[in-house]
Amino acid sequence: SGNFHWTKEVPQDPDGSGDFGDSGAQQLLGFRQTEADEELPKWKVMVQLTKPGTWIPVVWGVLCGAAASGNFHWTKEFPQDIFQAIVCMTLSGPCLTGFTQTINDWYDREIDAINEPNRPIPSGRVTGLDVALQSLGLMTLGWALAWQLDTWRGHEFPTLTAIALFGTFISYIYSAPPLKLKQNGWQGTYALGASYIALPWWAGMAVFDDSTLTPEIVVITLMYSIAGLGIAIVNDFKSIEGDRELGLKSIPVEFGIDKAKWITVGTIDGFQALVALWLYFVKDEPGYALALTALIVPQVVAQVRYFIPDPVKNDVKYQANAQPFLVFGILTTALAVGHTNGAGFGTNLWN
């Protein structure tokens, strides 16, 4: 499928009220495609192309990285750290994730013309020139913000710029031929998991203390991204027939539904458990390790109740019940790392 959303389907609000359930909001966030007879201003269509709803987990990842650095301060030299965190969120979310979603839709335009003809590009609302201008603009702005943050923080090596360039490269080869990682289940889903967990964590951490972004942390976040791989697989179950017809080698296509569902829960639970063990035995953070373990338990419960019995029918219900615990588990791990890096209470809440 290639379009990964932490909240892939959003329940409709029958009376048209409510923020997230409102059809117009869903449309602008990229969760609902435009109907054939709908007329939208061009700017709304261009924003829809960037799928703002997918920026949320990236912004969360930046917050986690900032917490993990141990050097983010809420009040010390206010508002410098908060402002720089917002700049990092902007380059990671609206700029580079927006770039990613824009080029992904461009390279999916032929498939979308068959399956989702009302999407911005196959419907003709957005031209190739529009895509080129928007993608180049967002990419360039993201790189410029990364370079500026490196300059502000006085980095000897432009760590954040390097992360931004690497993330852009991964985004491109994920969507574009000849590599087009999304065509292969393992490569594509892991690239997604790492893009939503490891890369924004690295960015947030690099802003506030790039010396804390050690090889150990790189390995741990990449390992945590395997749990993200499992989340990406969840989104592939409903599209198994279409993926098979289009020759996309998603995990459910390659292994079948029964094997794929166990691969999914194994990657989600197993690698979170390994991180908890790392916190307990390696980082000597038993409190955080137990907190992370407690956050894994309701995910397992949701898997037993919803996902394992029917991963196709219950994928959305499972994610609604399990995802909050996973993302708070990432934050718990970040707070533990921040504590080892000298952060005070609440990531230096009072200093």
Side-chain angles (χ1 to χ4, degrees):
S1 59
N3 290 316
F4 171 50
H5 307 283
W6 291 81
T7 49
K8 190 174 183 182
E9 295 184 12
V10 182
Q12 298 290 329
D13 185 349
D15 63 3
S17 61
D19 295 327
F20 210 61
D22 178 78
S23 61
Q26 291 178 33
Q27 188 182 76
L28 194 62
L29 290 169
F31 292 138
R32 183 180 76 85
Q33 64 174 311
T34 306
E35 299 298 331
D37 57 351
E38 284 186 274
E39 291 294 334
L40 289 180
K42 187 63 171 281
W43 71 267
K44 280 192 175 183
V45 179
M46 298 306 294
V47 171
Q48 183 185 17
L49 192 63
T50 67
K51 299 184 182 67
T54 63
W55 306 346
I56 298 169
V58 178
V59 168
W60 183 264
V62 170
L63 284 172
C64 290
S69 73
N71 197 39
F72 174 83
H73 299 270
W74 291 95
T75 55
K76 184 181 179 180
E77 298 181 12
F78 176 85
Q80 174 183 291
D81 283 7
I82 293 175
F83 175 72
Q84 291 179 353
I86 292 171
V87 173
C88 188
M89 293 173 199
T90 302
L91 81 87
S92 301
C95 293
L96 296 185
T97 303
F99 159 79
T100 300
Q101 297 293 357
T102 300
I103 65 167
N104 183 70
D105 267 27
W106 174 254
Y107 287 108
D108 274 358
R109 64 191 185 279
E110 294 178 357
I111 294 174
D112 287 342
I114 299 170
N115 295 329
E116 298 179 276
N118 294 327
R119 291 179 75 89
I121 295 173
S123 68
R125 292 179 172 90
V126 173
T127 66
L129 179 60
D130 294 330
V131 169
L133 291 174
Q134 175 157 295
S135 58
L136 288 172
L138 291 173
M139 180 184 72
T140 304
L141 180 57
W143 292 354
L145 291 175
W147 179 264
Q148 185 60 60
L149 281 170
D150 279 324
T151 303
W152 280 338
R153 301 300 297 195
H155 293 162
E156 293 183 8
F157 177 80
T159 310
L160 194 62
T161 303
I163 293 169
L165 292 171
F166 178 68
T168 303
F169 172 71
I170 295 297
S171 298
Y172 183 78
I173 64 173
Y174 172 78
S175 298
L179 295 179
K180 201 162 189 174
L181 300 181
K182 64 191 295 181
Q183 290 183 324
N184 179 283
W186 291 111
Q187 295 174 355
T189 50
Y190 186 68
L192 286 171
S195 296
Y196 279 91
I197 295 177
L199 283 172
W201 177 308
W202 298 350
M205 205 168 192
V207 170
F208 295 101
D209 189 350
D210 58 350
S211 69
T212 62
L213 187 57
T214 62
E216 180 186 29
I217 295 301
V218 170
V219 169
I220 289 298
T221 52
L222 288 174
M223 190 166 72
Y224 222 130
S225 297
I226 299 177
L229 176 150
I231 299 301
I233 298 173
V234 172
N235 291 309
D236 287 333
F237 281 91
K238 271 194 172 172
S239 59
I240 185 170
E241 295 302 326
D243 287 350
R244 185 180 289 118
E245 290 177 10
L246 295 168
L248 299 178
K249 298 179 181 180
S250 68
I251 302 302
V253 169
E254 289 285 275
F255 293 92
I257 289 177
D258 285 340
K259 287 185 179 179
K261 70 183 181 184
W262 291 109
I263 292 172
T264 301
V265 299
T267 54
I268 293 172
D269 302 338
F271 284 91
Q272 288 182 91
L274 286 175
V275 172
L277 291 172
W278 171 75
L279 290 176
Y280 191 93
F281 290 105
V282 179
K283 307 307 285 185
D284 193 25
E285 292 286 351
Y288 286 106
L290 291 174
L292 178 57
T293 302
L295 289 165
I296 297 171
V297 172
Q299 296 176 61
V300 175
V301 171
Q303 289 161 2
V304 172
R305 291 185 62 189
Y306 303 115
F307 186 73
I308 293 173
D310 193 338
V312 177
K313 180 181 178 182
N314 297 329
D315 63 333
V316 176
K317 187 177 292 186
Y318 161 67
Q319 292 193 71
N321 283 272
Q323 296 295 70
F325 298 100
L326 183 139
V327 297
F328 277 104
I330 299 172
L331 179 60
T332 299
T333 304
L335 292 172
V337 174
H339 186 252
T340 66
N341 286 327
F345 172 74
T347 313
N348 302 316
L349 184 61
W350 306 120
N351 58 7

